[in-house]
């Protein structure tokens, strides 16, 4: 067991210190490259560098030297903030936000690697020194190749109150022409009590076959990062014609996702899952933040974005721990699992007013548990973490993910896949909707999986659960070890 039992085994992050946004995602030289915002000196948001992992198969990872480091007195003197990277022949080019405390905007600069990402040489000057007229916030470039040209989006807020993703184009990655806002919108409702934000960070553009989806991280000038939204639509004459926005992830602990176009045609996505515990506990633990599992993202016929774990994640399944099927009118223990597992379930509340779901019990006395229940009346799956930690420094809350197939009808069964990794769960529905949530059990594994019926009815269930194996990680010191030993 590691010193901190909440440290994940199959979610990318270094053993210590702070991380946030995934950055610099690219496939180059036979490797998937995943960089991320990283403070090498402590578990707080400061001293932003780019950490760097690479993998040939999404299962075995190698830690490379820091990709980007602030230059004393330079344009990025106070931090190498978020951006992305592209593969261009024999070189990788990283585009990122140059942060200095003496200016509000974070203009764009670059760094190049000619040795497959082992080292990067910064350009030392700004790529685009002047902000477009009317832009108040400016950060987080996203560059891609399309139809023989390079294109770039930059996250922004405009002085008239609209959030925007600004579009540039280039023939050589050096000289960039400003084309105007790709999309700009005043805040729009996106969920109960939530909107699309006054500013947009980390714009990402998923596109295929004439359709597209603009993925944006909603930012508030007082509250900071809030949520991730997606606008489906299509491009016309350099503008994105957007349909109604939606949440990209329905959990409370997901932000700043980034896309990677894989060589086999898939779009892969990683997101940042932040901590849901008080800062004092974070300081004690010595680490903060993790990256989600890699997700395959696709555009459905109705324009919605669908997510599922990358196919390679099945390679992380170990021994099968739970095989259970039946019907319960109360509580049935289905089996025991460790702190990291991969679960599939089919749940079917039966009877008028029937409800129920699964409970992950993490303490021997049953006082600590995470509830996952079906709300058939409104067609939602509910995740309740109010009792998920006996430590009062852990955050609670109840979160809902739309699940129309769960609405009370003649057949209201639902299916789900849930990956739990010590202090994070990622839930995936067949609709492509997801929910990411952090929780901090104090009880020792093994944990108990129970089926619960409620509302005077019965719950039919079919559940399977497997151990979740550790990533294999070669750290910079050269030692090949599991990412975190159990």
């Amino acid at each position: 067991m590691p010193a901190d039992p909440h440290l994940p085994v199959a979610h990318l992050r270094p053993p210590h210190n702070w991380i946030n946004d995934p950055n610099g995602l690219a496939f180059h030289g036979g490797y998937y490259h995943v960089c991320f915002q990283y403070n090498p000196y402590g578990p707080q948001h400061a001293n932003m560098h780019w950490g760097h992992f690479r993998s040939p198969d999404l299962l075995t990872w190698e830690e490379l030297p820091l990709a980007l480091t602030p230059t004393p007195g330079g344009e990025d003197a106070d931090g190498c903030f978020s951006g992305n990277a592209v593969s261009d022949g024999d070189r990788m080019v990283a585009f990122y936000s140059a942060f200095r405390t003496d200016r509000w905007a974070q203009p764009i600069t670059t760094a190049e690697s000619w040795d497959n990402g082992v080292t990067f040489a910064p350009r030392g000057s700004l790529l685009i020194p002047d902000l477009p007229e009317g832009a108040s916030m400016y950060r987080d470039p996203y560059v891609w190749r399309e139809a023989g040209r390079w294109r770039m989006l930059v996250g922004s807020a405009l002085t008239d109150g609209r959030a925007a993703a600004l579009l540039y184009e280039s023939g050589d990655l050096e000289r960039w022409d400003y084309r105007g806002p790709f999309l700009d919108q005043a805040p729009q409702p996106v969920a109960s009590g939530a909107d699309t934000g006054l500013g947009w960070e980390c714009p990402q553009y998923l596109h295929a076959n004439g359709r597209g989806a603009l993925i944006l991280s909603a930012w508030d000038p007082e509250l900071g990062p809030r949520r991730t939204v997606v606008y489906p639509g299509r491009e016309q004459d350099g503008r994105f014609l957007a349909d109604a926005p939606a949440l990209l992830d329905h959990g409370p602990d997901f932000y700043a996702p980034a896309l990677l176009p894989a060589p086999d045609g898939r779009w892969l996505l990683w997101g940042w899952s932040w901590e849901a515990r008080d800062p004092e506990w974070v300081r004690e633990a010595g680490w903060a933040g993790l990256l989600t599992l890699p997700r395959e993202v696709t555009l459905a016929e109705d324009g919605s974005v669908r997510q599922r774990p990358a196919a390679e994640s099945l390679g992380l399944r170990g021994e099968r721990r739970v095989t259970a099927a039946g019907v319960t009118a109360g509580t049935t223990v289905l089996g025991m699992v460790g702190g990291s597992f991969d679960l599939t379930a089919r749940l079917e509340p039966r009877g008028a007013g029937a409800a129920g779901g699964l409970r992950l019990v993490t303490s021997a006395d049953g006082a600590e548990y995470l509830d996952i229940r079906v709300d058939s009346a409104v067609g939602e799956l509910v995740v309740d973490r109010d009792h998920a930690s006996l430590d009062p420094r852990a955050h609670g809350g109840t979160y809902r993910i739309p699940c129309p197939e769960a609405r009370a009808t003649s057949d209201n069964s639902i299916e789900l896949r849930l990956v739990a990794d010590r202090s994070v769960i990622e839930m995936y529905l067949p609709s492509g909707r997801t929910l990411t949530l952090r929780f901090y059990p104090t009880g020792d594994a093994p944990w108990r999986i129970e089926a619960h019926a409620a509302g005077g009815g019965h719950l039919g269930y079919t559940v399977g659960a497997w151990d979740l194996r550790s990533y294999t990680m070669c750290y910079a010191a050269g030692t090949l070890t599991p990412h975190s030993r159990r």
Side-chain angles (χ1 to χ4, degrees), residues 274-285:
W274 49 44
E275 296 301 310
R277 51 182 171 174
D278 289 353
E280 175 193 358
W281 195 356
V282 171
R283 288 192 296 271
E284 291 175 6

Side-chain angles (χ1 to χ4, degrees), residues 302-388:
D302 64 2
S304 63
V305 172
R306 296 185 175 181
Q307 304 175 70
R308 63 183 181 185
E312 289 86 346
S313 67
L314 292 175
L316 294 172
R317 282 185 177 176
E319 183 177 347
R320 184 161 183 154
R321 295 293 182 181
V322 176
T323 302
V327 179
T328 184
T331 297
T332 299
V333 176
L334 306 184
M336 309 296 284
V337 293
S340 298
F341 62 90
D342 187 347
L343 177 146
T344 60
R346 179 183 175 90
L347 305 174
E348 183 184 354
R350 302 175 183 177
L358 299 178
R359 175 170 289 183
L360 176 60
V361 182
T362 56
S363 66
D365 63 0
E368 187 177 77
Y369 55 88
L370 182 77
D371 264 344
I372 301 162
R373 59 181 181 265
V374 182
D375 187 339
S376 302
V378 295
E380 293 178 330
L381 199 64
V382 182
V383 182
D384 182 346
R385 69 178 179 191
D386 278 341
H387 302 278

Side-chain angles (χ1 to χ4, degrees), residues 12 21 41 69 87 93 95 117 136 138 182 196 229 248 296 301 308 351 381 414:
L12 281 175
D21 307 1
Y41 307 116
T69 298
S87 176
V93 185
F95 294 78
S136 59
Y138 189 87
F182 192 56
T196 57
V229 301
L248 184 68
E296 296 176 13
E301 288 299 321
R308 63 183 181 185
L381 199 64
I414 67 164

Side-chain angles (χ1 to χ4, degrees), residues 241-255:
L241 306 181
D243 297 329
L247 291 175
L248 184 68
D249 188 281
H250 294 265
D253 304 317
F254 179 91
Y255 195 73

Side-chain angles (χ1 to χ4, degrees), residues 183 185 188 212 230-234 240-246 302-304:
L183 178 67
Q185 296 278 1
Q188 295 179 274
V230 57
Y231 282 91
R234 60 186 178 87
F240 189 71
L241 306 181
D243 297 329
D302 64 2
S304 63

Side-chain angles (χ1 to χ4, degrees), residues 176-246:
W176 290 89
D177 297 318
Y178 178 55
R179 302 301 189 195
F182 192 56
L183 178 67
D184 52 354
Q185 296 278 1
Q188 295 179 274
V190 71
S192 177
D195 62 34
T196 57
L198 290 166
W200 289 336
E201 299 188 298
C202 304
Q204 307 283 305
Y205 186 38
L206 174 69
H207 55 281
N209 303 319
R211 295 180 297 116
L214 198 55
I215 298 171
L216 303 158
S217 293
W219 179 88
D220 182 277
E222 294 183 1
L223 300 174
R226 304 306 295 157
R227 62 193 62 86
T228 302
V229 301
V230 57
Y231 282 91
R234 60 186 178 87
E235 182 180 352
Q236 180 176 305
D237 300 327
R239 290 278 293 180
F240 189 71
L241 306 181
D243 297 329

Side-chain angles (χ1 to χ4, degrees), residues 75-77 79-82 96-100 103 105-109 126:
E75 295 290 351
D76 59 4
C80 301
F81 276 25
S82 290
Y96 65 100
S97 305
F99 176 61
R100 279 199 342 215
R103 64 186 176 212
Q106 300 170 20
I108 299 155
T109 187
L126 295 179

